[in-house]
Short mmCIF file of all heavy atoms in Angstrom, two decimals:
data_model
loop_
_atom_site.label_atom_id
_atom_site.label_comp_id
_atom_site.label_asym_id
_atom_site.label_seq_id
_atom_site.Cartn_x
_atom_site.Cartn_y
_atom_site.Cartn_z
N PHE A 314 -49.75 7.84 37.16
CA PHE A 314 -50.74 6.79 37.49
C PHE A 314 -50.07 5.67 38.23
O PHE A 314 -48.94 5.27 37.93
CB PHE A 314 -51.37 6.24 36.22
CG PHE A 314 -52.43 5.23 36.46
CD1 PHE A 314 -53.72 5.59 36.86
CD2 PHE A 314 -52.19 3.86 36.30
CE1 PHE A 314 -54.73 4.66 37.09
CE2 PHE A 314 -53.17 2.95 36.51
CZ PHE A 314 -54.42 3.31 36.91
N ASP A 315 -50.75 5.09 39.30
CA ASP A 315 -50.26 3.98 40.07
C ASP A 315 -51.32 2.87 39.94
O ASP A 315 -52.43 3.03 40.41
CB ASP A 315 -50.03 4.38 41.53
CG ASP A 315 -49.26 3.32 42.24
OD1 ASP A 315 -49.17 2.18 41.73
OD2 ASP A 315 -48.70 3.57 43.31
N LEU A 316 -50.95 1.73 39.33
CA LEU A 316 -51.88 0.63 39.10
C LEU A 316 -52.27 -0.04 40.40
O LEU A 316 -53.38 -0.59 40.56
CB LEU A 316 -51.29 -0.36 38.14
CG LEU A 316 -52.23 -1.38 37.54
CD1 LEU A 316 -53.29 -0.74 36.70
CD2 LEU A 316 -51.45 -2.40 36.72
N ARG A 317 -51.37 0.01 41.45
CA ARG A 317 -51.70 -0.62 42.70
C ARG A 317 -52.86 0.07 43.43
O ARG A 317 -53.73 -0.54 44.05
CB ARG A 317 -50.43 -0.65 43.60
CG ARG A 317 -49.37 -1.57 43.05
CD ARG A 317 -48.06 -1.36 43.72
NE ARG A 317 -47.53 -0.07 43.32
CZ ARG A 317 -46.22 0.33 43.47
NH1 ARG A 317 -45.40 -0.52 44.08
NH2 ARG A 317 -45.83 1.50 43.10
N ARG A 318 -52.92 1.40 43.30
CA ARG A 318 -54.01 2.14 43.97
C ARG A 318 -55.32 1.84 43.26
O ARG A 318 -56.39 1.83 43.88
CB ARG A 318 -53.70 3.62 43.97
CG ARG A 318 -52.50 3.95 44.80
CD ARG A 318 -52.25 5.43 44.94
NE ARG A 318 -53.34 6.14 45.58
CZ ARG A 318 -53.50 6.30 46.92
NH1 ARG A 318 -52.59 5.74 47.71
NH2 ARG A 318 -54.49 7.01 47.43
N LEU A 319 -55.30 1.71 41.89
CA LEU A 319 -56.51 1.32 41.22
C LEU A 319 -56.99 -0.09 41.59
O LEU A 319 -58.21 -0.35 41.69
CB LEU A 319 -56.30 1.41 39.67
CG LEU A 319 -57.47 1.04 38.79
CD1 LEU A 319 -58.61 2.06 39.04
CD2 LEU A 319 -57.07 1.04 37.34
N SER A 320 -56.08 -1.00 41.85
CA SER A 320 -56.46 -2.36 42.29
C SER A 320 -57.15 -2.24 43.64
O SER A 320 -58.15 -2.98 43.86
CB SER A 320 -55.20 -3.23 42.37
OG SER A 320 -54.58 -3.35 41.13
N ARG A 321 -56.68 -1.43 44.55
CA ARG A 321 -57.35 -1.28 45.84
C ARG A 321 -58.71 -0.62 45.65
O ARG A 321 -59.68 -0.99 46.33
CB ARG A 321 -56.48 -0.43 46.76
CG ARG A 321 -55.16 -1.07 47.11
CD ARG A 321 -54.50 -0.37 48.27
NE ARG A 321 -53.10 -0.80 48.45
CZ ARG A 321 -52.04 -0.13 48.02
NH1 ARG A 321 -52.27 1.02 47.36
NH2 ARG A 321 -50.87 -0.59 48.18
N ALA A 322 -58.83 0.38 44.70
CA ALA A 322 -60.11 1.02 44.52
C ALA A 322 -61.13 0.07 43.93
O ALA A 322 -62.31 0.16 44.14
CB ALA A 322 -59.94 2.21 43.58
N CYS A 323 -60.68 -0.92 43.16
CA CYS A 323 -61.59 -1.90 42.55
C CYS A 323 -61.95 -3.01 43.54
O CYS A 323 -62.72 -3.91 43.19
CB CYS A 323 -60.95 -2.52 41.31
SG CYS A 323 -60.83 -1.32 39.93
N GLY A 324 -61.33 -3.00 44.71
CA GLY A 324 -61.75 -3.99 45.75
C GLY A 324 -60.93 -5.24 45.75
O GLY A 324 -61.39 -6.22 46.38
N TYR A 325 -59.77 -5.30 45.11
CA TYR A 325 -58.94 -6.46 45.10
C TYR A 325 -57.92 -6.43 46.26
O TYR A 325 -57.32 -5.39 46.54
CB TYR A 325 -58.21 -6.59 43.79
CG TYR A 325 -59.10 -6.72 42.63
CD1 TYR A 325 -59.20 -5.69 41.68
CD2 TYR A 325 -59.84 -7.91 42.41
CE1 TYR A 325 -60.06 -5.80 40.55
CE2 TYR A 325 -60.63 -8.03 41.26
CZ TYR A 325 -60.78 -6.98 40.40
OH TYR A 325 -61.60 -7.08 39.30
N GLU A 326 -57.79 -7.54 46.97
CA GLU A 326 -56.84 -7.60 48.04
C GLU A 326 -55.40 -7.56 47.53
O GLU A 326 -54.51 -6.95 48.17
CB GLU A 326 -57.08 -8.88 48.86
CG GLU A 326 -58.43 -8.94 49.55
CD GLU A 326 -58.61 -10.24 50.34
OE1 GLU A 326 -57.69 -11.04 50.35
OE2 GLU A 326 -59.69 -10.39 50.94
N ASP A 327 -55.15 -8.23 46.44
CA ASP A 327 -53.79 -8.19 45.82
C ASP A 327 -53.66 -6.87 45.04
O ASP A 327 -54.38 -6.54 44.16
CB ASP A 327 -53.67 -9.37 44.88
CG ASP A 327 -52.23 -9.46 44.27
OD1 ASP A 327 -51.38 -8.68 44.73
OD2 ASP A 327 -52.03 -10.31 43.40
N SER A 328 -52.65 -6.08 45.49
CA SER A 328 -52.47 -4.78 44.83
C SER A 328 -51.94 -4.90 43.44
O SER A 328 -51.98 -3.93 42.66
CB SER A 328 -51.49 -3.94 45.71
OG SER A 328 -50.23 -4.60 45.73
N LEU A 329 -51.41 -6.05 43.06
CA LEU A 329 -50.87 -6.27 41.71
C LEU A 329 -51.85 -7.14 40.89
O LEU A 329 -51.43 -7.75 39.91
CB LEU A 329 -49.50 -6.91 41.76
CG LEU A 329 -48.41 -6.10 42.45
CD1 LEU A 329 -47.11 -6.84 42.45
CD2 LEU A 329 -48.19 -4.72 41.73
N PHE A 330 -53.09 -7.20 41.25
CA PHE A 330 -54.05 -8.06 40.56
C PHE A 330 -54.29 -7.60 39.12
O PHE A 330 -54.40 -8.38 38.21
CB PHE A 330 -55.40 -8.07 41.35
CG PHE A 330 -56.42 -8.91 40.64
CD1 PHE A 330 -56.37 -10.30 40.87
CD2 PHE A 330 -57.43 -8.38 39.90
CE1 PHE A 330 -57.39 -11.10 40.23
CE2 PHE A 330 -58.36 -9.15 39.27
CZ PHE A 330 -58.35 -10.54 39.46
N LEU A 331 -54.35 -6.27 38.89
CA LEU A 331 -54.66 -5.76 37.56
C LEU A 331 -53.42 -5.85 36.62
O LEU A 331 -53.62 -5.51 35.44
CB LEU A 331 -55.12 -4.27 37.68
CG LEU A 331 -56.45 -4.06 38.38
CD1 LEU A 331 -56.81 -2.61 38.37
CD2 LEU A 331 -57.53 -4.90 37.73
N THR A 332 -52.29 -6.18 37.09
CA THR A 332 -51.13 -6.34 36.16
C THR A 332 -51.35 -7.52 35.19
O THR A 332 -50.76 -7.51 34.10
CB THR A 332 -49.88 -6.59 36.94
OG1 THR A 332 -50.04 -7.70 37.78
CG2 THR A 332 -49.49 -5.34 37.77
N ARG A 333 -52.18 -8.50 35.54
CA ARG A 333 -52.44 -9.61 34.59
C ARG A 333 -53.27 -9.14 33.40
O ARG A 333 -53.26 -9.79 32.34
CB ARG A 333 -53.13 -10.75 35.30
CG ARG A 333 -54.59 -10.45 35.78
CD ARG A 333 -55.14 -11.58 36.59
NE ARG A 333 -54.41 -11.71 37.85
CZ ARG A 333 -54.66 -12.67 38.77
NH1 ARG A 333 -55.64 -13.55 38.51
NH2 ARG A 333 -53.97 -12.75 39.90
#
Side-chain angles (χ1 to χ4, degrees):
F314 183 78
D315 192 345
L316 194 63
R317 291 166 292 193
R318 296 183 64 83
L319 181 61
S320 298
R321 297 193 190 100
C323 292
Y325 298 110
E326 296 180 359
D327 185 6
S328 61
L329 298 178
F330 179 80
L331 293 182
T332 55
R333 69 185 64 182

